[in-house]
Amino acid sequence: MVSPEDVRLMTIKRGQVKAKLTRIFNALNAASQRNVRPSLPQLRVYTKQMGVIYQEYNDIHDMVVASVPEENVTEQEAKYVEFESQYNETSTMIETMTEVTEKENRVPIQTTAVQGGPQQVIVQPQSFRAPLPSFDGKYESWPRFKAMFLDLMRHSTDSDAVKLYHLENSLKGNAAGVIDLETLQNNNYQRAWDILEERFGNKRLILESHILGILNMKKMLKKSSKDLRNLVDECTRHVDNLVKLNQPLSGISELLVVTVLTRALDDQTRELWEASISQTELPEYESTIEFLKQRCVILERCEKVVSVPSHAKFSNQKIHVPPKSVPPKTSHAASVPTDYVCDFCSGHHQNYKCSVFLKMNVDQRQAKLKEANLCFNCLRKGHRSAGCSSDKSCSKCSKKHHTLVHFEQQKATVQSTNTAKHHEVNQAVASFEEPVSSSCSSTSIPPGNA
C-alpha cells in the first residue's frame, strides 16, 4: 500500500510538471502583450514540450488518484481539470501563432536593435541545393551530420537566425529539444552549435559506438543474401567511420574485425570462406569483404530461380496424353483426357464418377458442390451453371443442372427410394459417360461435364 509520504511526494512532482506548463503560458502571454510573436523554431520547441508535459502529468495524476482515499478523489480531479484548462489554453495560443506564421510564409526572427527593445525581422527562407540532413542523436551519426549541415550553410546567404531555425528543425529523436529556449530566443546560432558539439561531439564516445557496433553484429541464422548484405554494410560502415576518425585498420585491429565478422556468418558461408583462404596466412579484411560481396551476388541469383517440384499436382488441371500411333485412316480417333483429380476425394477420375459423391443424397450433393464452388451443370470449377458452356442438361427435366443433383419428391418406401437412387446413378453415369473414340473429322471435346 502507498504511504501518505509517497502520495505527498507524487503530489509535489505533479505540481512541478504543472509549473513547466505555467512558464510556457506566461512566456506566450507576455509576448502577446508586447505584440511580439515568438519565432517559428521557438513555437515548435513549445509544441514538443507540451506533449511531454501532458503525458508526464497524466502518469503522475493517475498514480495519485489510485493512492488517495476515495473521499479525496474529487479534490484531485478538480486539480486535473485546472491543469487541463490551462493546457488547452496554452495549446490554442501556440497553434494560433504557428498558423499565422506559416500562412505568411515567413520566418519571424527576434533580433535586438541597437537602441530599444526586441523587434521582429521577416526573413524569407532560402532553398538549398540539397535536402537538409537530419540528426537522430546517435553519436556515430554526429560527424556526418555536422559535415553535411555546415557545408550547406557555408553556401547559404541566410542570417544566423534563419540558420538556427534550420538547425533546430533538423534535430530528431534524442537530439530534439537539446537546444535550450534562451539560445533560441536570442537567435544565438554559434551557441547552439557549442551545445550540440559538447553533447554529441565527444570523440571517445563516437569511437566506442562504432567499436560496439562491430562487436554486437548479430549472427546470421541461415544463408540469405539480404541478411548477408546487411551484415557487410553494417561492418564496412563502422570501419569506414573509424578510419575517418584517424583509427586505421591494421595489425591486431584488422584480425579482430575479421574474426568478429566471420563468426557472425551462417555456417555454410563460413565454411566457404574458410576454404577460400590459405591456412598458412592471416586473413585480410579487404579480401574477406570482397569474398562476402561476391557471395551476396551468388545468393541473389540463386534465390531468384523458381523451381517447381516434379511431384507437384495442380487441382483440376487436365493432362492431355497424345493418342498412340495407329494406321492411317480416313478418320482419326478423338483424344480423350485420362488424368483427372477429383474435387471430392482427390482420386484420379472425373467428379461425376466419384463413388463418395454418388453415395450422397441430392441435398448432400448440392451442399458439396456449393462448398467446392463447382458448377451445378458440369461439376467443374471456374463458373456457375448460368454461364456454363456445356450443351448437356438434366436428363429428367432438361433444365440447366446435372442429373445427379436433380431434386424430386420420392415415395416414402425404402425399397422405392433405393431403386430410384440406383436407377438415377446408373442413368446419370451412362448419360455422361465419355466415348473412348469417335469417328469425326476433328478432335472432339470430352463431355466430362454434364
Side-chain angles (χ1 to χ4, degrees):
M1 183 174 179
V2 181
S3 65
E5 177 63 19
D6 291 335
V7 174
R8 188 182 71 85
L9 294 176
M10 286 189 292
T11 305
I12 293 174
K13 179 64 176 175
R14 184 181 62 180
Q16 293 173 343
V17 175
K18 184 175 182 294
K20 298 178 184 179
L21 174 64
T22 303
R23 285 194 292 271
I24 296 177
F25 175 80
N26 291 338
L28 293 172
N29 206 20
S32 178
Q33 291 177 0
R34 298 195 311 268
N35 293 323
V36 177
R37 188 187 307 156
S39 65
L40 192 57
Q42 188 175 337
L43 290 171
R44 295 186 191 280
V45 171
Y46 283 150
T47 302
K48 294 175 183 177
Q49 289 182 333
M50 291 288 288
V52 175
I53 290 172
Y54 186 81
Q55 184 62 49
E56 191 175 358
Y57 189 93
N58 274 272
D59 292 342
I60 300 175
H61 177 75
D62 290 342
M63 290 190 292
V64 172
V65 171
S67 304
V68 299
E70 186 175 352
E71 58 269 18
N72 295 338
V73 170
T74 303
E75 177 185 354
Q76 299 300 327
E77 289 298 337
K79 292 184 179 296
Y80 182 83
V81 171
E82 180 184 349
F83 163 79
E84 192 172 42
S85 176
Q86 187 177 19
Y87 175 85
N88 291 335
E89 187 176 356
T90 307
S91 298
T92 302
M93 293 173 66
I94 295 175
E95 287 295 326
T96 301
M97 293 180 178
T98 302
E99 183 178 356
V100 171
T101 303
E102 290 178 344
K103 279 185 177 180
E104 292 175 351
N105 192 24
R106 61 192 183 186
V107 182
I109 306 299
Q110 294 293 337
T111 60
T112 303
V114 177
Q115 295 180 349
Q119 64 180 16
Q120 194 176 71
V121 178
I122 307 303
V123 180
Q124 294 295 339
Q126 176 185 350
S127 58
F128 296 97
R129 53 194 175 89
L132 285 170
S134 60
F135 176 57
D136 56 4
K138 296 181 180 179
Y139 289 101
E140 63 268 24
S141 303
W142 171 251
R144 180 175 179 273
F145 166 77
K146 179 182 177 181
M148 293 179 63
F149 190 91
L150 289 179
D151 181 64
L152 286 174
M153 293 300 110
R154 193 175 297 115
H155 297 85
S156 171
T157 58
D158 285 330
S159 66
D160 284 352
V162 178
K163 291 179 181 178
L164 177 59
Y165 162 74
H166 292 306
L167 176 60
E168 196 276 335
N169 206 38
S170 297
L171 303 180
K172 312 294 181 182
N174 293 332
V178 171
I179 303 176
D180 59 82
L181 291 177
E182 183 180 358
T183 301
L184 292 172
Q185 289 173 346
N186 296 332
N187 298 314
N188 196 334
Y189 179 64
Q190 185 56 50
R191 172 59 183 160
W193 270 110
D194 293 341
I195 293 173
L196 294 173
E197 186 67 39
E198 182 181 356
R199 173 73 177 273
F200 302 106
N202 190 314
K203 185 176 181 180
R204 178 182 173 185
L205 291 177
I206 296 173
L207 291 173
E208 285 183 353
S209 65
H210 287 299
I211 294 172
L212 291 175
I214 295 174
L215 296 177
N216 294 329
M217 290 188 298
K218 295 182 179 179
K219 179 176 175 58
M220 296 174 57
L221 301 178
K222 61 180 181 179
K223 66 175 183 178
S224 164
S225 62
K226 180 181 178 180
D227 293 345
L228 181 57
R229 193 168 291 282
N230 289 339
L231 179 65
V232 173
D233 290 344
E234 182 180 4
C235 183
T236 54
R237 177 171 60 85
H238 290 304
V239 170
D240 291 345
N241 279 284
L242 287 171
V243 172
K244 291 178 182 178
L245 294 171
N246 299 321
Q247 301 300 317
L249 196 66
S250 62
I252 187 66
S253 62
E254 182 176 15
L255 290 176
L256 284 173
V257 172
V258 172
T259 300
V260 173
L261 174 60
T262 54
R263 284 183 176 273
L265 300 173
D266 64 277
D267 295 339
Q268 186 175 352
T269 303
R270 172 70 185 275
E271 291 175 0
L272 293 173
W273 173 77
E274 290 285 359
S276 69
I277 61 175
S278 173
Q279 301 303 312
T280 59
E281 298 179 358
L282 295 176
E284 297 179 350
Y285 171 77
E286 293 295 341
S287 60
T288 299
I289 293 297
E290 185 61 29
F291 169 83
L292 295 179
K293 288 181 178 179
Q294 291 296 325
R295 173 71 171 162
C296 286
V297 175
I298 294 173
L299 289 177
E300 287 172 349
R301 288 203 300 262
C302 292
E303 289 169 356
K304 289 181 179 179
V305 176
V306 181
S307 58
V308 180
S310 58
H311 61 277
K313 296 179 180 179
F314 301 91
S315 177
N316 283 345
Q317 181 173 349
K318 302 177 183 179
I319 303 176
H320 295 274
V321 180
K324 298 180 180 179
S325 59
V326 294
K329 292 183 179 179
T330 55
S331 63
H332 59 275
S335 82
V336 179
T338 59
D339 193 358
Y340 293 85
V341 178
C342 177
D343 289 285
F344 307 121
C345 68
S346 299
H348 293 281
H349 52 255
Q350 292 172 283
N351 290 338
Y352 72 91
K353 294 183 179 180
C354 178
S355 59
V356 175
F357 184 70
L358 295 176
K359 290 178 182 179
M360 300 178 183
N361 59 37
V362 175
D363 289 337
Q364 291 173 333
R365 292 173 191 164
Q366 291 182 354
K368 195 66 177 177
L369 291 177
K370 291 180 181 179
E371 178 184 344
N373 197 23
L374 300 177
C375 172
F376 269 55
N377 187 51
C378 67
L379 309 188
R380 293 177 180 172
K381 284 185 176 180
H383 59 274
R384 297 183 179 274
S385 58
C388 184
S389 60
S390 174
D391 58 354
K392 299 290 184 179
S393 59
C394 179
S395 61
K396 293 185 176 182
C397 66
S398 300
K399 293 184 178 180
K400 200 71 171 180
H401 60 253
H402 200 284
T403 307
L404 291 177
V405 293
H406 175 79
F407 182 84
E408 64 182 38
Q409 297 293 335
Q410 301 290 339
K411 294 182 180 180
T413 62
V414 176
Q415 181 177 2
S416 61
T417 300
N418 292 338
T419 302
K421 182 176 181 180
H422 180 72
H423 175 72
E424 172 195 358
V425 170
N426 290 339
Q427 184 180 16
V429 173
S431 63
F432 289 88
E433 189 70 31
E434 293 179 350
V436 175
S437 63
S438 61
S439 179
C440 58
S441 58
S442 61
T443 303
S444 63
I445 300 176
N449 55 11

